[in-house]
Structures are given as structure tokens and as C-alpha cells.
Amino acid sequence: MKKKKGDKTMKNLKKKLMYSIAVSTLLLGTTIGVFASWSGQINVQPPGWGGSVVSWSGVTKTSNSSKFAISGIKESNSLDPYAQLVNSNAAAKSSWCAIRQGQTTSVNDNTGVANYIYYTRCKTNNLEPNSNIISYSFNPY
């Protein structure tokens, strides 16, 4: 029995449709993963004169990137506070990164391992005498 030309065209259309769906799903999943890796808003109040506090609001590191980024939401100190990435034992996994209101800053020495949850330690500037609430979000990449 001879196949009709319409059957072949239909199979090609089905293949193209399945390929398009697979690619779209992959792209959507990657996009969601990128956006999901930022923490929600974190509010901390470290003491003045370089005092620090660990926020136990964690984010899973999703890649082998050495980048660590902080997005400043609110900070009322006159001197910039800082944050660093820490693990569940509060051991540093990055250097200190300045928190600047309305800006995203980053460092490129994140030694965290993918698929583990990481937290932040936030400190006031060593010359800042005041303790104020600092709000930020972070991404351990």
C-alpha cells in the first residue's frame, strides 16, 4: 500500500510542533530558574561600627558561577553597609559586597557549590556608628 503525500506532510508538522514545544518548555524553565534564584526582600539590623548579623533566609545556588550579587532596596546609613555569602555554618563563601540603595552590586569570588542553600551576613560600615534596618535581595547564582 502506497503512502499518501498528506500523511508525510502531517508527520513533518507533528515533528515540528513537538520540537517547538520542547524548545519552548526548555526556555521557559531556564527563565523561571533565573528569576527564582533571587531571594525575597531581606530586612536586617546589624549594630553600628562594623557589627554584623546573619540572615537565615536562604537561596539555592543554581550554577557553578563565581558571581554573587546584592540588590539594595533600602538603607538609611550614610556609609554603605556590606554583605557576603555564607553557608549554613555561617562560613564565608564570598568577599564583602557593598549594598547600595537602588543598585545591584556584585563580586566574582563566590566559592559556593551548586544545589546548596546559601545565606548572607550583613554588616554596617566600620566607620558607621548607627544601627539601621537594611533591606536587600541577593542572588548566589
Side-chain angles (χ1 to χ4, degrees):
M1 190 162 141
K2 193 173 186 181
K3 292 186 179 183
K4 295 181 182 176
K5 188 175 182 180
D7 290 342
K8 191 173 183 180
T9 304
M10 189 59 120
K11 282 185 180 180
N12 285 339
L13 284 174
K14 284 182 182 179
K15 283 182 185 179
K16 287 180 181 179
L17 179 62
M18 294 305 290
Y19 178 77
S20 297
I21 290 171
V23 169
S24 298
T25 303
L26 178 65
L27 290 175
L28 179 62
T30 302
T31 303
I32 290 171
V34 168
F35 289 114
S37 59
W38 279 90
S39 70
Q41 181 173 329
I42 295 172
N43 300 307
V44 294
Q45 189 171 7
W49 304 111
S52 68
V53 62
V54 173
S55 167
W56 295 109
S57 295
V59 175
T60 302
K61 182 171 170 59
T62 58
S63 74
N64 291 323
S65 172
S66 62
K67 186 175 182 180
F68 163 60
I70 291 279
S71 181
I73 298 170
K74 178 186 172 206
E75 61 99 352
S76 55
N77 291 339
S78 56
L79 299 172
D80 288 333
Y82 295 88
Q84 71 179 167
L85 194 66
V86 297
N87 65 14
S88 60
N89 295 322
K93 292 298 174 182
S94 78
S95 60
W96 292 100
C97 184
I99 302 173
R100 296 188 177 110
Q101 185 170 322
Q103 295 181 23
T104 299
T105 56
S106 62
V107 294
N108 290 310
D109 61 357
N110 173 354
T111 60
V113 179
N115 300 316
Y116 283 85
I117 298 172
Y118 291 92
Y119 310 91
T120 51
R121 177 183 291 117
C122 181
K123 74 172 190 163
T124 55
N125 188 294
N126 290 338
L127 301 175
E128 177 64 58
N130 301 313
S131 171
N132 289 304
I133 295 175
I134 301 165
S135 301
Y136 61 91
S137 62
F138 75 99
N139 187 341
Y141 289 90

